[in-house]
Every structure is written in C-alpha cells, then in structure tokens.
Amino acid sequence: MNQYFSTYRRLREGSHIRELASDVSLTHRDFIQPLFIDESVSMRTPIATLSEINSDTLESTIKQIESDLKHGVSKFLIFPVPKLKSESNFDFSFILNAIKKIKSTFGSSVWLAADVCLCCYTSHGHCGILNSEGTRVLNNETAHAIALYALQLAEAGADFIAPSDLMDGRVAAIRDILDTNGFDHVGILSYAAKFGSHYYGPFRDACKSAPGKGTGLMDRKTYQISPFNSVDALRSAVRDFNEGADILMIKPALLNLDILVQLRKLILAPLAVYHVSGEYEGIELLAQKNIMDRSRGHIEVWTSLKRAGANIIISYASRHAKEWIDKIEY
Ligand code: PBG
Ligand code: ZN
C-alpha cells in the first residue's frame, strides 16, 4: 500500500511501549522541599493559603524532616519567619540556631539551602534596606547586609546560600565573603531570573512579608524582573553565573519556560526552577474542587519543567514526589 502519511500510533499502542518510547523521566532525587520555620508559632500551624504546608516550630521542623527523609526527601530550602520585624540591625539568631540544630540532628543526611533575603525581617516587607524617605531600596547597603548574613548562615552549617533579594552584585559579595572566611565549599543557588509576580501571594502570607506597609513603595518592581522584559531575565542570570553562582534559578517556573529553554543553551550550570506558591496552590484548589487529580496535576507540570530543561525542581509537593512518580501511568 502506498502511504502518504507517517504512522506513529504503534508507539502509543499500550502503556509498556509508551513508557519505553518516552524521552523525559522524573526522579524524586531532583526535588527540593521548602520549609517555613516560624519563631512566633508555639505549635505547627497550617498556612491557610498554602494547602498542606505548615509554619513549623523548630521542634516540628525536626519531626517534619524525620518524616521527609523516610519519603525520599533530603534536600530543603529553608525560610525563616522571625518574630520581630525591624528596619535595620536584624537579629538572625533564630534561623542560625535552627540550622545548627538541624545539622547536629541529621548531619550530612540532609542538604540545606538557606534562603537569604531581608523581606521576612523588615517591618515594611521589602527585600532590603530603605533610604530615609522610604522611597528606594538601597542596593549596596542591602547587598552588604545580605553577604554578612550569608556568612553567618554558612558558619551555622548551611550547605548552600540562596539569595532571593535581587540586588546587583550580591552574588559576587557573597562569593567573596565566603571565600575569604574559609567557606569556599559552600555553594550559591541564585534566584537569578526572578520575576515580579502575582503568584507569590501564599508565600507572603507564610512569611508575613507583603511589601509596602508604611512606605511609598508598594511593590517590588524596582528590584524584581518585569515579565515584559526577557532580556533582563537572561542577562541577570548570565551575570549571576559570571559572579560565581553555582546553580541558577528561574521563578515562577511554569510561567517562564521560554526563559528556561534559552538559559539552558546559554549557561553551562545546573538550572533550578521554583514552582511557586501561587502556581502550586492553583493545582491544589483545582484538586480540592475535584476538577483535577492532584498528583497527576503536579506530575504533568513537573514533566513539562523537565522537558524544557530543568535539572532541579523546587516544589511544595516535593515530599510526594517519590510516591507519585512511582505510580506514573504512561
Ligand atoms: C522573597 C521571596 C519570594 C519568594 C521566595 N522568596 C517572593 C516575594 O515575596 O517577592 C516566593 C516563593 C513562592 O511564592 O513560593 N525574597
Ligand atoms: Zn525578599
């Protein structure tokens, strides 16, 4: 029979051949689980807008990590939620003690990346120190404070430093201070292509870090990247790589696959994507309304992220990755 069409359906005929023919695969080994350690809660407290995720005390964090290790999760991104907010002279002791405790409990069986930013510490919720008029986030002062904080996190035992503030020069400043103090083995996971986004809402509830209060600056547009500017995202990531970042992160993940695909070609380093709180919660709400199956919804997103070139996925559902990936139906 003369054929004027190609026949592809033989490779779709059944689940065995579909599994064999696939060229994207997922493993729980690539996942990082975020954790919120909140100084002002006296017991584990659910975050209302971030389904299944809690504000943990230090004690409940230890229990959470014990359970996560049993489920194949050993890499964490830690967010501190300090009790006291101020405008300067921040007290980091809460998170430093937490990291020491986690490391002394679990040793090298856990890998800790510590988010470093000031938005959870500042009374106004901005990621840095403001000028006296409250109209600008000061770049160099903030980068300097971030670097000093990063050194303390490394001294406490963090394996990686993850700066999310977006000041110019902070990666170089962190690399420099780590290297000159004997922490050349501590890496930097830079929030490199971090867009200003409306998908961070649940996270800001968790960290009580919505920007603006008492200032003339109600959003993060002067430091986070505009979704209308892809060149800014690409060159910011290349710049962070050149300043010494070991891993580059793109966020929000699913909204910026185009940037991921382009960075994959531009940068010879592992790329991480952060499926952020609003993206995550969208799936959770669809699942709660029985509009979509929860695990299949997350798996499909993770597959797209992998297909586009992500090496590392940061997801609030990381602790389900092993179980769900085992059960994938091809
Ligand atoms: C701020 C920071 C944000 C996230 C992580 N660190 C966003 C912001 O408030 O601008 C977002 C993470 C998420 O939404 O899951 N330094
Ligand atoms: Zn911040």
Side-chain angles (χ1 to χ4, degrees), residues 97-135:
N97 289 333
I99 289 174
K100 283 180 202 152
K101 172 78 180 157
I102 295 168
K103 274 290 167 178
S104 66
T105 309
F106 299 103
S108 57
S109 58
V110 303
W111 180 90
L112 292 186
D115 184 274
V116 43
C117 196
L118 298 178
C119 52
C120 54
Y121 292 95
T122 53
S123 43
H124 42 70
H126 278 293
C127 296
I129 299 159
L130 297 188
N131 61 358
S132 53
E133 297 82 32
T135 52

Side-chain angles (χ1 to χ4, degrees), residues 79 115 117 119 127 164-165 191 194 199-204 209 220 224 251 274-278 316:
F79 294 100
D115 184 274
C117 196
C119 52
C127 296
S164 62
D165 56 297
Y191 289 66
K194 176 177 176 178
Y199 284 77
Y200 301 151
F203 174 93
R204 292 177 186 172
S209 63
R220 305 199 200 285
Q224 297 184 346
K251 93 181 242 207
Y274 196 151
H275 193 235
V276 300
S277 58
Y316 292 98

